[in-house]
Amino acid sequence: MTALMTVLGIVVFVLGLLFSIAWHELGHLSTAKLFGIRVPQYMVGFGPTIFSRKKGETEYGVKAVPLGGYIRMIGMFPPGDDGKITARSTSPWRGMIEDARSAAYEELQPGDEKRLFYTRKPWKRVIVMFAGPFMNLVLAVVIFLGVMMTFGLNTETTTVGSVQKCVVPASAKDTDKCPKDAEETPANKAGLRARDKIVALGGVPTPDWPTLQKNIRKTTGATTVTVERDGKRMDLHAVLIKNEVAKTDGHGGYVEGETVKAGFLGFTPAHGIVEQSFGQSVDRMGDMVEQGVDSLIALPSKIPDLWDAAFGDGERKADSPMGVVGAARVGGEITTLDIPASQQVATMLFLVAGFNLSLFLFNMLPLLPLDGGHIAGAVWESVRRHMARLFRRPDPGPFDVAKLMPVAYVVAGIFICFTLLVLVADLVNPVRIT
């Protein structure tokens, strides 16, 4: 049964992946057609074609390997300086440029001269190339907000999970054991109990854990802790003290190995599924985007640990980069977790949303062959032409992105090597969820 549920989870994730890819390419397709660019192909996946059908001037299809997708637009690159498309060169670098230029015109038909991608104004090309990643961003936002506002999040609550008996600094090796000379915690002295729900601190309402935690940390001395116990509301009197506590990261988590001095009550909050308001959901979504950007910037620094995890005896960290295979494996594990079915659905949706957010951020890197590289080329062309008009110089014409293809091949090579490294790590030492 567990194996069947694992396979089901993998299949559900793959379907979500295929939809995300198709949704991305739909953004490119719709805007390209809007601006009159001819699009002969719209494909989901790579490799051999499993199914295709031609409607109008575009062939729509699905390919065997669900690791990406593409649309083929006519005239992605302008002709060479000599006005030719198929000129050959003995230089390998020049050959790459001419091969890319030739491929962009291989399906040129009579009447396409005014339907070429490069002939569109830079702002239109920016929209076409941005539309794909933007569709992923929209999908990620809709799923994230929908899940948080309907299913809720498993998060700390204002209900007491357990009460600590003694004051122990967060830097202590064993915070669960009380030293002989340890002081009793303010919570224990005040009579706080497990399952008490703290509704106010010092008369200030505490509707959620972040508010309660913040108020505790900025409070020292005598105060009133208002709780709900067995359906009744009562006031407990506590004298909060300063203690060494874990430093928060501003995103609901803690900074590993770092502590601060702050107000201390002495209890552990219980976890529960809490529906988020629209404002809370937007705040959390903003935090996720910020974390995604930070993770993307930190990607090169994680390669040594990833290598050790793949080919050595290194531990695969929870924040380690994960590829499609690893994500599909996690999707399989989600359906075997001992949690309510609604939370399995919510977790799977979060996984798909996270994948879409990663697609958006990654594709916006200003590097060819990514969408961000084509956007950068169109922006640079616009700047050049505006500068030429400003200084009354001849129009420099379209910026020839094809000349950057050697760099694009190097970037693609690096991406392929990184993808293979992640694939090996996902197979031999995968990220697991609990």
Side-chain angles (χ1 to χ4, degrees):
M1 187 64 178
T2 300
L4 179 62
M5 294 304 294
T6 300
V7 171
L8 177 62
I10 292 173
V11 170
V12 170
F13 174 77
V14 171
L15 291 176
L17 171 66
L18 288 173
F19 178 80
S20 301
I21 294 169
W23 183 249
H24 173 104
E25 298 304 333
L26 181 62
H28 292 312
L29 177 72
S30 58
T31 50
K33 286 182 174 289
L34 176 66
F35 295 135
I37 301 167
R38 191 165 77 83
V39 184
Q41 270 192 325
Y42 168 93
M43 290 288 169
V44 177
F46 296 118
T49 301
I50 297 176
F51 164 83
S52 72
R53 177 175 294 177
K54 191 165 185 177
K55 185 176 181 180
E57 61 186 15
T58 304
E59 178 191 7
Y60 301 86
V62 177
K63 292 182 175 285
V65 184
L67 295 179
Y70 65 91
I71 67 166
R72 190 186 301 279
M73 292 183 286
I74 298 298
M76 283 290 291
F77 308 115
D81 296 334
D82 56 2
K84 296 181 179 179
I85 296 170
T86 59
R88 300 305 303 154
S89 171
T90 56
S91 165
W93 296 109
R94 186 67 191 173
M96 291 181 186
I97 297 171
E98 292 167 351
D99 285 343
R101 200 187 313 281
S102 178
Y105 292 87
E106 63 183 8
E107 297 183 52
L108 191 66
Q109 297 177 356
D112 282 347
E113 294 78 8
K114 295 182 179 180
R115 303 189 64 191
L116 306 176
F117 176 78
Y118 87 89
T119 62
R120 295 302 178 262
K121 292 181 179 180
W123 68 267
K124 290 184 178 181
R125 278 179 277 152
V126 168
I127 289 176
V128 171
M129 300 313 298
F130 179 70
F134 180 69
M135 294 289 272
N136 291 123
L137 178 63
V138 169
L139 187 58
V141 170
V142 169
I143 294 176
F144 275 135
L145 295 183
V147 170
M148 288 188 280
M149 294 174 66
T150 55
F151 292 95
L153 292 179
N154 186 2
T155 185
E156 291 107 334
T157 68
T158 58
T159 298
V160 178
S162 62
V163 178
Q164 296 166 244
K165 293 182 179 180
C166 60
V167 179
V168 180
S171 59
K173 291 183 179 180
D174 189 351
T175 56
D176 293 328
K177 289 186 178 180
C178 290
K180 291 182 180 180
D181 57 346
E183 180 184 353
E184 188 179 3
T185 62
N188 208 40
K189 287 181 180 179
L192 195 66
R193 298 179 188 175
R195 293 188 295 277
D196 283 350
K197 181 179 180 180
I198 302 176
V199 296
L201 182 72
V204 179
T206 52
D208 50 44
W209 169 246
T211 302
L212 176 57
Q213 183 186 52
K214 182 180 178 181
N215 288 351
I216 290 173
R217 292 195 168 201
K218 68 180 184 181
T219 302
T220 54
T223 191
T224 301
V225 182
T226 305
V227 302
E228 287 183 356
R229 179 185 297 170
D230 298 329
K232 298 179 181 179
R233 183 168 294 199
M234 62 179 66
D235 290 335
L236 304 178
H237 301 284
V239 180
L240 274 64
I241 62 172
K242 276 205 169 185
N243 188 28
E244 186 181 294
V245 295
K247 183 179 179 180
T248 58
D249 61 5
H251 304 295
Y254 298 94
V255 180
E256 187 176 354
E258 293 190 31
T259 61
V260 294
K261 284 279 189 178
F264 177 75
L265 183 55
F267 75 96
T268 302
H271 279 71
I273 306 301
V274 181
E275 290 184 11
Q276 307 293 297
S277 67
F278 178 74
Q280 290 173 322
S281 301
V282 170
D283 287 342
R284 285 184 178 269
M285 184 69 210
D287 292 340
M288 291 175 187
V289 173
E290 185 179 339
Q291 289 174 354
V293 172
D294 291 341
S295 297
L296 193 60
I297 294 172
L299 207 57
S301 66
K302 295 182 180 180
I303 292 178
D305 287 341
L306 195 60
W307 181 274
D308 289 341
F311 300 105
D313 55 358
E315 179 187 356
R316 188 76 186 274
K317 297 181 179 178
D319 63 346
S320 174
M322 184 170 57
V324 173
V325 172
R329 192 165 184 164
V330 169
E333 291 182 2
I334 288 172
T335 52
T336 64
L337 292 176
D338 186 20
I339 57 177
S342 62
Q343 288 307 301
Q344 289 181 343
V345 172
T347 306
M348 183 67 76
L349 288 172
F350 248 75
L351 181 64
V352 173
F355 176 78
N356 276 272
L357 180 59
S358 297
L359 270 181
F360 168 75
L361 295 174
F362 186 70
N363 271 289
M364 290 310 295
L365 290 174
L367 300 169
L368 287 173
L370 302 175
D371 295 329
H374 289 282
I375 291 172
V379 170
W380 174 239
E381 176 184 322
S382 180
V383 171
R384 287 200 318 168
R385 286 184 153 175
H386 276 88
M387 293 298 291
R389 285 197 295 270
L390 181 63
F391 293 101
R392 298 182 180 179
R393 294 175 181 172
D395 185 351
F399 174 66
D400 191 0
V401 181
K403 292 180 178 178
L404 298 178
M405 288 311 295
V407 177
Y409 283 120
V410 173
V411 173
I414 293 172
F415 287 162
I416 290 171
C417 290
F418 180 76
T419 301
L420 290 175
L421 176 60
V422 173
L423 174 62
V424 173
D426 284 343
L427 290 173
V428 304
N429 194 356
V431 174
R432 298 189 182 278
I433 59 174
T434 57

